Amino acid sequence: MRVQVAIIGAGPSGLLLGQLLHKAGIDAVIVEQRSPDYVLGRIRAGIIEQITQDLLDEAGVGARMHKEGLVHHGIELCFKGARHRIDMTDLTGGKTVRVYGQTEITRDLMDARAAAGLKTVYEAAHVSLHDFDGHRPRVRYEKDGATHEIECDFIAGCDGYHGVSRASVPGSAIQTFERVYPFGWLGILSDTPPVSDELIYTHHERGFALCSMRSPTRSRHYVQVSLDEKVEDWSDDRFWDELRRRLDPEAAESLVTGPSIEKSIAPLRSFVAEPMRFGRLFLAGDAAHIVPPTGAKGLNLAASDVRYLSRALIEFYQDKTAAGIDHYSEKCLRRIWKAERFSWHMTSLLHHFPDNGSFGRKIQEAELDYLVGSRAASTALAENYVGLPFED
Ligand code: RFL
Ligand code: PHB
């Protein structure tokens, strides 16, 4: 098979890139190691920035997001047993975020891809990347017992943190930066109404908690747990009890509990790989960087990489210029490092760190107190949360 762009991975990065390239008449195939149901079964992001919404519109898949997604104008920070609202819309001159699950975005993109008759190879085994340092890169994979090869102009590595794309780059060509946090998030999804109209981010001596949602009838909640916790040891009752203990009295009182639909533990990590281009291979999304979910930035950063990459490839084919491609890595990384900083900061501010001691806890409380009392500090949080502008 011969295509212009071979995309590795059918997560949000790969599917969105595929759709934007298709709109521009660029021919791409997606190679994914899992099945469509497996991809749709991963419950992840819930908050999308305006830039991500704009890109979904540009890709022609925004209709359901506009109909079903919930527009949010603020978040609540809870500490020392009281909640404080950060009015993001007021602080950012009118900006908002939208609650629309990653699962729904993935489904919309998969449906659009199927409707346009575009090729996705699911359940591809032993995917390998070749010759991306020359002019004719190739991707090889096995499917139904046979080996297949794709010849292409470019490879887009959209295959997440554990993917093969970054791993295919020689160690001497790549530099990585990492922080692993000494805790994870235990999350549950339930068909219960959200505790509040807006998200509640809670700092508590027992650990961080987050009350989020997917719709007016579906909630997503998280509690910080230590890395040795096993999901099997967390009955639904134990989860709800722990969450209740970390909330302010009013939220604890109004919390509606119910059976979980999904329950999982995610470790928290900050990670960046530099650069993001190696000859004719580009990394995008979680393949190149990971943020702890506290700032709600992972999917949004993936979308911003895809925006830069799609424009660079479109320029290459339509305007015959390699300028976008040449600047892809540095443009992405400037935005990525700012989101890394914000996600690290939110994580440091809101979690219980085993080694922090009582001094560290007092500093966290003082910072939270300052944050909610200072318009300048609240504005800094709000403008990062709604998403920093692009520097086109
Ligand atoms: P993905 O979603 O990991 O998709 C990569 C795809 O590549 C496939 N793959 C391969 N395919 C072929 N060959 C191989 N060798 C392959 N290896 C892997 C995988 O099967 C998969 O289908 O990466 P992508 O597309 O870059 O998307 C990134 C986002 O998924 C991620 O950043 C977000 O989910 C992060 N995140 C959040 N982001 C937000 O913007 N807002 C949020 O509110 C938010 N909440 C979250 C989150 C992530 C979480 N977890 C579980 C880490 C909440 C949580 C709990
Ligand atoms: C979610 O709804 O899954 C979610 C929301 C906000 C975050 C992280 C996750 O910061």
Side-chain angles (χ1 to χ4, degrees):
M1 190 198 306
R2 169 99 186 88
V3 292
Q4 290 171 301
V5 182
I7 299 173
I8 317 297
S13 304
L15 287 167
L16 185 55
L17 179 64
Q19 207 57 26
L20 292 166
L21 294 181
H22 166 65
K23 290 259 156 193
I26 297 169
D27 169 32
V29 64
I30 302 184
V31 181
E32 162 65 50
Q33 69 175 3
R34 304 288 190 173
S35 68
D37 284 347
Y38 184 95
V39 172
L40 283 172
R42 290 188 295 229
I43 309 295
R44 289 183 169 181
I47 295 288
I48 52 174
E49 297 172 4
Q50 188 62 49
I51 60 122
T52 307
Q53 299 173 48
D54 292 347
L55 211 55
L56 292 170
D57 280 335
E58 197 178 313
V61 296
R64 201 160 65 92
M65 168 192 76
H66 287 290
K67 203 161 91 207
E68 297 176 16
L70 308 172
V71 175
H72 278 204
H73 299 276
I75 56 169
E76 293 186 289
L77 294 179
C78 177
F79 58 97
K80 293 210 268 187
R83 270 187 273 163
H84 308 262
R85 181 163 190 266
I86 304 287
D87 187 335
M88 290 180 312
T89 302
D90 174 46
L91 292 164
T92 60
K95 295 198 177 145
T96 59
V97 294
R98 196 181 281 266
V99 170
Y100 192 60
Q102 179 165 333
T103 315
E104 306 311 319
I105 295 176
T106 307
R107 193 188 302 279
D108 294 343
L109 285 162
M110 279 181 175
D111 288 353
R113 195 164 173 82
L118 304 174
K119 188 170 167 71
T120 311
V121 182
Y122 282 100
E123 297 177 276
H126 303 115
V127 177
S128 58
L129 282 53
H130 306 270
D131 300 335
F132 50 82
D133 51 351
H135 280 273
R136 281 277 166 268
R138 284 166 303 119
V139 172
R140 236 177 261 149
Y141 62 93
E142 285 168 30
K143 169 108 188 165
D144 303 327
T147 301
H148 303 262
E149 190 169 279
I150 303 168
E151 270 183 28
C152 53
D153 299 333
F154 297 103
I155 302 175
C158 301
D159 49 350
Y161 180 67
H162 299 286
V164 66
S165 299
R166 194 181 69 251
S168 305
V169 175
S172 57
I174 195 165
Q175 212 184 343
T176 59
F177 305 84
E178 183 172 50
R179 170 149 304 179
V180 177
Y181 301 89
F183 42 73
W185 281 15
L186 168 64
I188 74 166
L189 190 68
S190 61
D191 277 326
T192 55
V195 183
S196 171
D197 290 341
E198 294 179 335
L199 270 62
I200 308 175
Y201 287 83
T202 301
H203 169 80
H204 191 276
E205 62 189 20
R206 295 183 65 85
F208 169 81
L210 171 60
C211 301
S212 182
M213 65 191 76
R214 289 292 177 273
S215 75
T217 56
R218 182 167 283 191
S219 296
R220 178 71 168 158
H221 291 101
Y222 299 95
V223 293
Q224 173 188 348
V225 293
S226 69
L227 284 174
D228 49 21
E229 289 290 347
K230 304 257 174 305
V231 76
E232 309 78 75
D233 296 333
W234 284 84
S235 65
D236 290 353
D237 284 345
R238 182 176 173 205
F239 180 91
W240 293 118
D241 287 345
E242 186 58 43
L243 176 63
R244 207 180 281 110
R245 292 171 82 165
R246 298 183 189 187
L247 298 178
D248 63 286
E250 190 198 333
E253 177 70 25
S254 59
L255 180 68
V256 179
T257 65
S260 61
I261 310 169
E262 192 266 359
K263 195 188 287 165
S264 52
I265 295 182
L268 266 63
R269 180 190 300 271
S270 299
F271 172 86
V272 182
E274 292 190 6
M276 291 167 62
R277 176 201 175 180
F278 309 89
R280 288 185 166 240
L281 166 65
F282 301 92
L283 302 180
D286 279 17
H289 42 78
I290 295 284
V291 284
T294 328
K297 287 283 162 262
L299 174 61
N300 293 300
L301 272 186
S304 93
D305 294 352
V306 165
R307 183 177 183 275
Y308 284 130
L309 184 54
S310 58
R311 278 159 173 66
L313 291 170
I314 293 166
E315 262 176 49
F316 178 86
Y317 285 110
Q318 290 180 357
D319 307 336
K320 312 272 180 274
T321 161
I325 284 172
D326 290 341
H327 292 118
Y328 169 72
S329 186
E330 69 180 76
K331 268 189 175 176
C332 287
L333 283 163
R334 268 205 296 275
R335 200 161 188 279
I336 287 161
W337 274 112
K338 289 184 196 123
E340 289 283 344
R341 186 209 66 81
F342 176 66
S343 306
W344 159 82
H345 178 66
M346 288 283 278
T347 304
S348 309
L349 184 65
L350 290 165
H351 288 75
H352 172 74
F353 284 75
D355 296 334
N356 245 1
S358 52
F359 181 83
R361 249 197 337 274
K362 285 284 185 191
I363 293 289
Q364 283 177 314
E365 286 174 6
E367 187 168 355
L368 283 162
D369 214 12
Y370 167 64
L371 186 57
V372 300
S374 154
R375 189 169 172 94
S378 299
T379 303
L381 187 153
E383 71 182 10
N384 279 279
Y385 195 88
V386 299
L388 294 175
F390 280 107
E391 16 162 314
D392 286 327

